[in-house]
Amino acid sequence: MQIRDLPYPDPGVADARSGPRFLLWLGRNQLGGQLKSLFWGLLHHAGVAGLPVGAGLAVQAVIDRSGTRLAFAGGLIALVGVAITVGDTMLHRTAITNWITAASRVQQLLARKTAELGSALTRRVAAGEVVAVAAGDVEKIGWFVEALSRFLASVIAIVLICVGLVLYLPSLGVLVAIGVPVLALAVLPLLPRATQRADIQREKAGKATELASDTVAGLRVLRGIGGEELFLGRYRAASQEVREAAVRSARMWSLISAIQVLLPGALLITVVWQGAQLALDGRIGAGALVTFYSSVTLLLFPLRHFEEIAMAYSFSRPSAKRAARVLSLERTAYEDERGGLDDARPVGDLYDPATGLLVPSGLLTAVVCGDPDAAGRLAERLGGHAAEEEKSPSVLLGGVALDDLPLDSARASVLVQDKDPVLLSGTLTELLDVPASGAVDPEKALAAAQCGDVLDALAQASVDGSGDPMGARITERGRSLSGGQRQRLALARSLVTDPEVLVLDEPTSAVDSHTEARIAQSMKALRAGRTTVVFASSPLLLDHADRVVFIRAGEVAAVGLHRELVRDDPGYRAVVTRETEPEHLTEAQHPTKRDPLMAPAALRAPEETEESA
C-alpha cells in the first residue's frame, strides 16, 4: 500500500475486542509494508555492523603495511556506506508509509463508525473522547505500527552481531552477549509505572479536550449569562492538571532514558578495559581491538529501539483501547425469527412497540412529549438509532424491523433531524448536495423552509461579489448565522433528501411565530403523500398536523387533533400552553382555553425566538 493509494477502498472490519488486539489487527493488515520496512532495516543495520569490520581491517593493514588489504578494507567501507545510505533512506520511506497508512486506516474506521451510529455515538461516548481519538490517538497508534518493524530489525541485528562477536573473539563476545540482554531488559520494571503515569496524563487531557469542546459549543449561551470566566477558570484548572501529569510522566521517561545511557556506557567501559588487558597481554591485535570496540559502540544504536518501542507501546496502548471502544459500538439490533432481509426498502406505517406510537403512512404526525430528552430519545429510536442500554424491540416500518434492514436501506427509509443539526463548512450548493430521491429540488426546499432572508444574507456575504447565494460559503457549524437561520437551512437540507419517513425534532424552536406558521403550512404541502413526524410543543405546528400523539411516561396517552386534545386533555393542554394557572380557573378566566392558537405568541419563551438568537 502506497500513500498515493489512500484512502483504502475498504479499511476492513477491525478487531476491537481490546487495545492490543486492535494493534495486532492493524499490524497484520499491513504485513507487506512491515516486511519491506524489516528488509530495509536489516540492510541498514548490516551496513552499520560492517563499518567496524572495515575499520579493523584497515588498521591492521596499516600496521602490517599491506596495501592490498588496505584497498580491500577501503572498498568494504565504501560498500557498507552505500548499504547504510540506501537502507536508511528506504527504511525511513517505508516506516513513514506504514505510519501514515495505519493512521489513515484508523481514521477511515472511525469515520465509518461515526456515520453508522450518527448522533447516537455521542450519547455512548463523550464528544471530547471521540475528538481525542480522531485527532491525537491515531498518530500514536500509527507510531507503534511504524516502530514495530524497525524494532524487529534491531532485534535481529543485535542477535546476529552478538553471535558474530562470540565467534570472532569469545573472551569478549561472551561478555557482550550477556550484557546486551541485561541492557535491553533493565528498564522493564519501570515501564508499568511510566505507562500508568502516561495513562493518567492522557485521561486528564481527554477531559480537558471535552471541557474545551463543550465550552466552545456553548460560547454564545455562556456570553449571554456571563459565564465565560467561570468556564475559563475550569479549563485553566484542567489544563494545569494536564501539565502536572505530563511533568510527572516526563520525569519517569527521563529516568528510563538516563538508564539507557548509563548502563551501555558501563558496558562499553568494561569491554574497553578488558580488551586493553588482552591487547597488552598480546592475546589480540590492535585491529581486532578496534573492530570489537567499534562493534560494541555501534551495537548501542539498535538498542535505542528498545526504549522507543516501549514508549510507542505505552502511548499507543491506551489510544488503541479508546479507538477500540468507539469501533466496538454497534447499532442496537432486535433479533427475531425473520433473521434479516434484503435491500428492499419497506413502505407503510411507522410503529414503535415500546411506546405504542403509530405513525400512519403519508400523513403529518406531531408528537408531544413533556420531557424534551425523552422526545430526543424517541426520535432517535424511530430512526433506528436506539441507545445501547435500551432493550426495547425495534421500530417497525411497514411491518419490517428497522434493525433487520441493511444500514443503507434503513438510513434511506427514515431520516432523523436532531434538534441541534450540524451545518458543515462549504457553499450552500455543497450543503444541499446530499443523497436524495430527486423529487424535491433545492429551490422548493429552501422556499418551504422560509429561507428567503437567509439567501439574501448569503448573497450579500458572497466572496466573489456575484451575489449568488448558492455559491456563498457557510462557516463551520454555521456559526455566522443565527439559530433560526441554521435551523431553517438544516430543514431545507432534510426536505431535499425526500425520505420515505422524515422525523424532525423541534425543527422551529429558534424561529419566530410568524415564520413558524408559514413553515408548517408549506412543509405540509411539500411533504404531501410522504410520512412526516414532528416532535414539537408549539400550537402553530400542532394545528397543521393531520394527527397529534401525546406521549406521557413513555407511553401513548392520547391521540387526536390539536384543538380536540387542548379542549379534552388537561395534561396535553398543560404541555402545549405551558399552563401555570390553577386548574380550577373557569374557561372565561383562562385565555388559552378561549382560543388555544392565541397562546404560542404570548407564551413562547423569548430566548427561543430568532430575534433573540
Side-chain angles (χ1 to χ4, degrees):
M1 185 70 184
Q2 300 296 323
I3 296 178
R4 63 174 174 268
D5 298 327
L6 295 176
Y8 288 99
D10 180 13
V13 179
D15 185 350
R17 289 176 289 177
S18 66
R21 287 180 180 272
F22 180 58
L23 291 174
L24 180 62
W25 178 83
L26 280 176
R28 288 201 311 266
N29 278 271
Q30 293 191 228
L31 187 58
Q34 295 287 352
L35 292 177
K36 290 179 182 179
S37 185
L38 178 61
F39 170 77
W40 294 115
L42 289 175
L43 178 62
H44 171 69
H45 289 304
V48 172
L51 280 178
V53 178
L57 291 176
V59 170
Q60 195 62 45
V62 171
I63 294 175
D64 297 340
R65 298 181 182 278
S66 173
T68 303
R69 283 188 291 165
L70 182 61
F72 174 77
L76 179 60
I77 293 175
L79 181 61
V80 298
V82 173
I84 292 173
T85 302
V86 174
D88 192 30
T89 301
M90 297 305 298
L91 173 62
H92 180 76
R93 179 185 179 90
T94 54
I96 295 301
T97 299
N98 289 337
W99 187 338
I100 295 177
T101 50
S104 177
R105 185 187 295 273
V106 177
Q107 286 180 327
Q108 283 186 251
L109 291 170
L110 290 171
R112 185 173 67 182
K113 182 60 63 175
T114 302
E116 177 184 338
L117 296 176
S119 61
L121 174 64
T122 54
R123 290 204 308 270
R124 304 185 192 181
V125 181
E129 184 171 347
V130 177
V131 172
V133 172
D137 288 338
V138 292
E139 182 179 352
K140 297 180 179 66
I141 294 172
W143 178 26
F144 175 76
V145 173
E146 174 263 337
L148 182 60
S149 56
R150 292 190 289 110
F151 167 71
L152 294 177
S154 299
V155 171
I156 296 174
I158 288 174
V159 172
L160 294 178
I161 292 174
C162 287
V163 171
L165 291 178
V166 171
L167 297 176
Y168 180 70
L169 196 59
S171 56
L172 290 178
V174 173
L175 177 63
V176 174
I178 296 175
V180 167
V182 173
L183 296 180
L185 302 177
V187 298
L188 286 183
L190 299 177
L191 287 180
R193 182 173 296 181
T195 302
Q196 182 182 13
R197 293 189 178 185
D199 290 346
I200 293 174
Q201 175 196 347
R202 278 183 289 275
E203 180 182 356
K204 291 183 178 295
K207 291 181 179 178
T209 302
E210 182 179 353
L211 179 61
S213 177
D214 293 342
T215 302
V216 171
L219 190 58
R220 295 181 64 182
V221 177
L222 292 177
R223 286 176 176 171
I225 62 176
E228 307 102 306
E229 289 299 325
L230 174 62
F231 275 79
L232 181 59
R234 291 181 181 177
Y235 180 74
R236 283 172 177 164
S239 179
Q240 289 302 311
E241 291 181 3
V242 174
R243 181 189 62 81
E244 293 172 359
V247 170
R248 295 183 70 249
S249 178
R251 286 173 180 168
M252 184 57 65
W253 287 111
S254 298
L255 177 59
I256 293 175
S257 299
I259 293 175
Q260 291 284 47
V261 173
L262 176 63
L263 295 184
L267 175 63
L268 188 60
I269 292 173
T270 302
V271 169
V272 172
W273 180 81
Q274 185 67 23
Q277 292 295 326
L278 294 176
L280 291 175
D281 294 341
R283 297 169 61 182
I284 62 174
L289 179 60
V290 170
T291 299
F292 208 90
Y293 168 77
S294 301
S295 298
V296 174
T297 303
L298 295 177
L299 187 62
L300 302 181
F301 171 73
L303 275 175
R304 297 175 185 173
H305 292 290
F306 283 79
E307 178 188 358
E308 182 189 12
I309 197 65
M311 291 183 65
Y313 181 73
S314 298
F315 279 88
S316 64
R317 184 183 59 82
S319 297
K321 181 180 178 181
R322 281 199 294 265
R325 181 189 175 196
V326 175
L327 295 176
S328 64
L329 299 176
E330 298 291 344
R331 298 175 69 225
T332 303
Y334 172 60
E335 300 295 339
D336 61 12
E337 64 276 7
R338 287 191 301 272
L341 298 170
D342 55 22
D343 273 343
R345 297 179 184 175
V347 294
D349 298 342
L350 187 69
Y351 176 67
D352 177 28
T355 60
L357 172 63
L358 175 65
V359 180
S361 175
L363 299 181
L364 172 60
T365 300
V367 180
V368 177
C369 294
D371 182 5
D373 293 333
R377 290 192 295 269
L378 177 55
E380 291 296 334
R381 191 161 67 248
L382 292 180
H385 307 293
E388 189 174 11
E389 62 273 9
E390 292 188 18
K391 304 302 181 183
S392 56
S394 171
V395 170
L396 305 178
L397 177 59
V400 177
L402 287 181
D403 287 341
D404 286 342
L405 291 174
L407 181 61
D408 293 342
S409 298
R411 289 289 174 83
S413 299
V414 183
L415 173 65
V416 179
Q417 177 180 304
D418 295 332
K419 66 177 62 178
D420 186 22
V422 175
L423 302 182
L424 301 179
S425 59
T427 64
L428 185 55
T429 299
E430 294 170 342
L431 176 69
L432 300 179
D433 184 15
V434 292
S437 66
V440 179
D441 55 55
E443 288 74 15
K444 291 181 180 179
L446 290 168
Q450 303 299 312
C451 294
D453 63 318
V454 185
L455 296 178
D456 293 339
L458 291 176
Q460 295 177 3
S462 59
V463 178
D464 56 6
S466 62
D468 181 13
M470 303 302 293
R473 294 199 63 81
I474 299 173
T475 57
E476 182 183 1
R477 299 182 67 90
R479 298 190 188 280
S480 60
L481 304 173
S482 69
Q485 290 174 330
R486 287 196 300 270
Q487 275 193 338
R488 285 180 284 157
L489 285 180
L491 176 59
R493 180 178 58 186
S494 299
L495 294 175
V496 166
T497 62
D498 190 37
E500 180 66 28
V501 179
L502 177 60
V503 180
L504 304 171
D505 188 6
E506 294 288 355
T508 57
S509 60
V511 178
D512 64 83
S513 301
H514 300 291
T515 305
E516 185 179 42
R518 294 196 298 269
I519 290 176
Q521 184 176 2
S522 56
M523 180 178 64
K524 182 178 181 179
L526 184 65
R527 291 282 301 171
R530 291 288 202 180
T531 306
T532 307
V533 184
V534 180
F535 285 83
S537 59
S538 169
L540 287 174
L541 275 178
L542 300 174
D543 193 53
H544 285 83
D546 299 315
R547 194 166 181 264
V548 178
V549 180
F550 178 45
I551 303 290
R552 181 168 51 198
E555 296 181 351
V556 173
V559 179
L561 295 177
H562 168 64
R563 294 174 183 264
E564 297 173 353
L565 294 177
V566 168
R567 182 184 65 244
D568 301 333
D569 193 308
Y572 176 85
R573 183 169 58 248
V575 172
V576 300
T577 63
R578 303 181 185 178
E579 284 184 345
T580 57
E581 295 85 350
E583 287 290 334
H584 65 269
L585 289 180
T586 64
E587 184 171 337
Q589 294 172 312
H590 206 309
T592 61
K593 293 183 180 180
R594 293 197 304 271
D595 189 354
L597 292 181
M598 293 176 58
L603 296 177
R604 184 185 298 273
E607 62 273 17
E608 292 185 354
T609 63
E610 186 170 352
E611 288 79 7
S612 63

